[in-house]
Structure formats: structure tokens, C-alpha cells
Amino acid sequence: MSEPLVFERSVPGRRGYRLPPRDVPALDLADAIPQEHLRPSPPPLPEVAEFDVVRRYTRLSQLNFSVDTHFYPLGSCTMKYNPKLNDRVAALPGFARVHPFQPAEHVQGLLTLLYELEQLLCAITGMAVFTLQPAAGAQGELSGLKMIAAYHRRRRRKRSTILIPDSAHGTNPASAALSGFRVVQLKSSASGFIDLAELKSKLDDDVAALMLTNPNTLGLFERDIKVIAALLHERDALVYMDGANMNALLGIARPGDMGADILQLNLHKTFSTPHGGGGPGAGPVGVAEALEDFLPVPRVRKKGKRFVWDSRGRSTIGRVHGFYGNVGVLVRAYTYIRTLGAEGLARASEAAIINANYLKTKLEQAYPVAFDQPCMHEFVASATSLKASSVTASDVAKRLLDYGFYAPTVYFPLIVEEALMIEPTETESRETLDEFIQAMLRIAEEAKTNPDLVRRAPQRMPVARLDEVKAAREPNLRWPVSSALLGVS
Ligand SMILES: *Cc1c(COP(=O)(O)O)cnc(C)c1O
């Protein structure tokens, strides 16, 4: 599987393309370009044929996993297959080629789409109004928290605490702290939910809001959500709902009806758009009417039959993104919603839930599920059952690569030991799920019969185990990439 560097394939004089003989006089470069900008010698480019280049880069593109090539059950990340139709629409010149400085009269089509997308998201979530500006879930959180601060500031009172359950996504406490709030953690109950007694004991007049995810990161639906929201509202504290897991609720339940005052959606998860590697996303934020004044500007408004940008707003938290966010992602989400329709969206969520429960039921013998009850779109299993053979969640994840599956999220949420967080999404077929189940069960078996094999995995990948900390902290993305990295580690 080792892939030599393109430089190692270089043969002096080999060319991909030759120009016809020159029919004009030669020019001395020194006469055209100032001496100090000239190289002393030609750059050491590889000398290769066209197909050397094409094959090399095609092969390199296949050394990675992606939703287009593999099942990708990365819990919480909702790595689902994205219909290519959405890309086609986003690439239409009327969307892809518009310039952000074009006057509104020139981009009425795009503004219509943005306006309608806001309306659709309101209908899906039960929130009163949306901003499409934030570029990611975490930036949506940050924008929501700024609005929470503005809400209390307008009421001329100091509220500095945000309550966050211990099952929360790491971005929640990070966003709260970044916004200047004090984070107070709520310990989950033994069954994996918000513990009402714990909530009541920490709910005082310094609480600005509760941030919670529903379904939570254990894949469980917070059944007491209305009681929880009422407790917060009694003290005029707000309910922030992290809506990254909205793909479990589409057409079934609406956060606005549950009492959420602020909600961010991850369009790049629930509403299509391939994501990963930090690629473009969109984290629109919906709010209840009482918070509308604080929304970021500009907003798209309808004036008669035309659409205009409106930058007014005395109480706005301001702009959170250049222009109007990642418009390509917004176009994909709009296309996705319009293709599926209300019924299709509900069926997508149902399929996501059924798929997760199917996997959970088939795997829980070998990998016990921490908070065992019917799950929503994902569940958290544990590799503690393999401890006797010194095989860890990380080993299981690596061995899955050998079997041609991307790994689940591991070691998150933190409250589950040796966590394997599995999210199949609605787009996978029964056959794929069965193949995944077989691989997982086989790994559990291997852990007993040949633990070394699992601990040394992956063996069929171009690289074995990397130093993950070093790879993340000091990524080496430049040529010359060490041959060790591309060969065998
Ligand atoms: C993915 C995710 C986030 C963060 O979203 P980004 O777009 O990666 O910033 C926040 N909360 C939950 C529950 C998530 O799954």
C-alpha cells in the first residue's frame, strides 16, 4: 500500500506535455524579470508523465475514509450520505457566482431562498425567527449566548451562570466560558437524564440559562423537558437548546414547543452538506419572539414583493460572520428540505432512530450500553467488556478500519467509560448495518482469541498507529512529507 512521493517517480527528461517548437525569438529572462526575483537554477520539479500524476493523486484520494466511500458511524457528527443533487444546485452559477457586494436587486433569487429557508427552519423547529449567519454549531452557540447576555442586560440585572449537564458536547461549556459566563455542571441521573433535584439545587437568581442537548449526547430524549423549561422560566432564566441532534426530531417534535428560547441547528449535519476536516458548515440560530431584537444583522426582509438587506437593530448583537454566512451550505440545506418535504423529513428521522435501535439491540450483548433504554438517533456502547483482554475502545476503533468501516466516536461522552458512540444515520441500508454488526462482533471475538491482533490494528491501512497528539499538534502538511508517514510507520 505504500505510495512513493511523486519526486521518487521522477525520470530525467520525462514529460507530461510538450510544447511545439518555438516560432518566435527567444527572450533572455534576465531582460524581462529583475535579477533579484530570478531563481539561480530551475525549481526541482518532478519529471513525470501525465498518468503518473493522475494515478498518484487518484490513489492518494482513496487513502482516506469518507461518507462517499464508507459507512461512517461517527456519533454526534451525523456523517450521513449527502445527495449529489444538493451539490448540483449549490453549484448553479446564480448561487455559486454571485458576489457578496452585488446589490440586493441583482440577487433576488438568492434572497428569496434565504428568506424561505428561515421560514422553513421556523416551521420545522417551532422557533419564531432565525438568523442564518453563524458558520458552525459552535458559532451558533456563541451567538445564542451573546443574545442571552443581551436579554438579561436589557432587564438590568446581573446573571453570570450557565448550567450545563455533564453529558453535554464539549463546545457548550467552551462557548459559555468564551462568552464570559461561569459554567456550573449538572450531574446526570443514574438513567442518563437531567436530575431534577440536582437542577433545582443549582438553580438560583444568578442563572442566565440552561444549555442542554435534546436528545442528549447519550442519544436519550429528555422526557422532563417541559418541567425543566418551566423551572427555568419561573426565574426568568432562558433555555438554550443545542439542536445539533435535530435529525432525531424532524417532523416528530419541535424544540420551540418544548420551551426552548434559543436553538442552533447544524445544517452540515442534519440538513446535508458533506463536512469534516473543519470544512464549511452553517449553524443557524432560532429564537423565541422575546429575543428577536437581539438577532445578528443584516437580516433578509420582505418589502412588498422584493427582498432587501436590513442592517437596523438597536439591540442587535451585531454581525457574527462576513456577508451572510456560508451560503453554499444554506443552498444545500434548502434543496434537501424541499426535496424531502414534510413527510420525507419525518421519515428520515424515523429511519435514523430505527437504524440506531437496530444496531444497539444487535450489539449490546458484546458491547454493553451504559444507559440502556430505547435510544434516539445514536447510542453509547462501551468496550469495558473487553478489558479482561486489555483491549480498549480505541483498539476496537482501529480494528474497524481493517474491516472497511470508519470508527465510531470514542471516549465521548466523558461519563461513559471506554465509550463507543455510534450514530448510523438514516441513510444506511439494512445490508450495511448488518455488515457493520458482523465486524463489531468479530472484533469482540478476536479480542478474546487473539487480542494482539486487535491491539496492533490497523494492519491493512497505509499507515499503522500514528502519534495522534503529535499529528494533531504538529501536523506536517508540507512537502517533503516524510516517506515514513506514507509508507509503514
Ligand atoms: C457537532 C456538535 C456541536 C458543534 O458543532 P460544530 O459545527 O462542529 O461547531 C455542538 N453540539 C453538538 C451536540 C454536536 O453534535
Side-chain angles (χ1 to χ4, degrees), residues 76 136-138 141 169 171 213 242 244-245 264 266 268-269:
S76 202
E141 293 170 25
H169 195 273
T171 52
T213 309
D242 179 332
N245 293 344
Q264 116 272 349
N266 285 30
H268 47 293
K269 294 181 180 170

Side-chain angles (χ1 to χ4, degrees), residues 75-78 135-141 167-172 213-217 242-245 264-269 275 279 281-283 377-378 412 421 423:
S76 202
C77 296
T78 314
Q139 205 196 3
E141 293 170 25
S167 60
H169 195 273
T171 52
N172 292 183
T213 309
N214 199 15
N216 66 23
T217 57
D242 179 332
N245 293 344
Q264 116 272 349
L265 294 174
N266 285 30
L267 296 189
H268 47 293
K269 294 181 180 170
H275 66 285
H377 62 301
E378 65 191 359
F412 176 78
M421 185 192 209
E423 178 177 12

Side-chain angles (χ1 to χ4, degrees), residues 1-9 56-57 59-64 460-466 476-489:
M1 296 278 272
S2 88
E3 176 68 35
L5 297 177
V6 72
F7 293 87
E8 290 165 337
R9 287 217 184 271
R56 170 181 163 74
Y57 286 103
R59 273 198 300 266
L60 280 185
S61 77
Q62 293 165 344
L63 293 182
N64 213 342
R460 296 179 201 152
M461 294 293 108
V463 287
R465 296 218 184 175
L466 297 173
N476 180 359
L477 306 175
R478 286 167 190 281
W479 178 81
V481 178
S482 87
S483 330
L485 198 64
L486 290 170
V488 182
S489 88

Side-chain angles (χ1 to χ4, degrees), residues 83-362:
K84 295 290 169 260
L85 172 70
N86 304 345
D87 294 334
R88 285 283 281 275
V89 174
L92 291 174
F95 295 128
R97 295 277 171 88
V98 293
H99 192 279
F101 281 139
Q102 261 172 275
E105 312 84 81
H106 293 186
V107 289
Q108 285 294 308
L110 178 59
L111 295 194
T112 310
L113 180 145
L114 297 176
Y115 185 84
E116 286 184 10
L117 179 59
E118 288 182 10
Q119 308 292 310
L120 290 168
L121 296 182
C122 288
I124 291 168
T125 59
M127 305 308 289
V129 266
F130 259 92
T131 171
L132 303 176
Q133 263 188 47
Q139 205 196 3
E141 293 170 25
L142 188 74
S143 312
L145 285 152
K146 297 259 176 239
M147 289 189 261
I148 291 170
Y151 175 87
H152 291 296
R153 217 167 28 241
R154 178 186 279 180
R155 276 161 184 68
R156 298 183 186 289
R157 62 185 173 213
K158 198 171 158 290
R159 297 265 180 137
S160 47
T161 303
I162 301 283
L163 300 177
I164 304 182
D166 56 6
S167 60
H169 195 273
T171 52
N172 292 183
S175 301
L178 202 66
S179 308
F181 286 106
R182 188 171 71 100
V183 175
V184 172
Q185 200 178 65
L186 298 179
K187 214 169 134 28
S188 296
S189 71
S191 40
F193 294 106
I194 288 193
D195 185 333
L196 287 179
E198 163 95 349
L199 172 63
K200 283 179 193 162
S201 77
K202 301 214 161 133
L203 185 54
D204 58 25
D205 285 332
D206 191 51
V207 172
L210 164 73
M211 258 185 124
L212 86 170
T213 309
N214 199 15
N216 66 23
T217 57
L218 296 163
L220 305 178
F221 187 85
E222 200 67 66
R223 277 172 234 150
D224 289 327
I225 184 66
K226 285 200 143 173
V227 180
I228 293 169
L231 283 172
L232 271 289
H233 290 154
E234 262 168 37
R235 290 176 182 260
D236 201 12
L238 299 170
V239 176
Y240 181 104
M241 205 182 281
D242 179 332
N245 293 344
M246 191 68 201
N247 63 324
L249 303 181
L250 300 174
I252 301 173
R254 306 195 311 166
D257 301 334
M258 299 173 204
D261 301 295
I262 304 121
L263 169 88
Q264 116 272 349
L265 294 174
N266 285 30
L267 296 189
H268 47 293
K269 294 181 180 170
T270 309
F271 298 97
S272 170
T273 295
H275 66 285
V285 177
V287 296
E289 249 174 57
L291 290 144
E292 178 168 4
D293 289 354
F294 307 118
L295 280 181
V297 289
R299 297 184 54 199
V300 193
R301 302 250 193 213
K302 201 167 179 183
K303 237 186 179 177
K305 284 190 173 155
R306 317 292 297 162
F307 293 92
V308 293
W309 288 120
D310 183 357
S311 295
R312 287 170 307 167
R314 240 179 330 138
S315 317
T316 173
I317 59 163
R319 230 179 219 290
V320 299
H321 193 282
F323 306 112
Y324 204 58
N326 284 327
V327 167
V329 181
L330 305 177
V331 176
R332 284 177 180 83
Y334 178 85
T335 311
Y336 183 73
I337 293 170
R338 292 299 296 263
T339 349
L340 288 186
E343 221 172 276
L345 289 176
R347 283 187 55 202
S349 278
E350 283 165 15
I353 295 169
I354 291 169
N355 281 356
N357 278 284
Y358 181 66
L359 285 187
K360 174 176 160 295
T361 307
K362 295 282 186 182

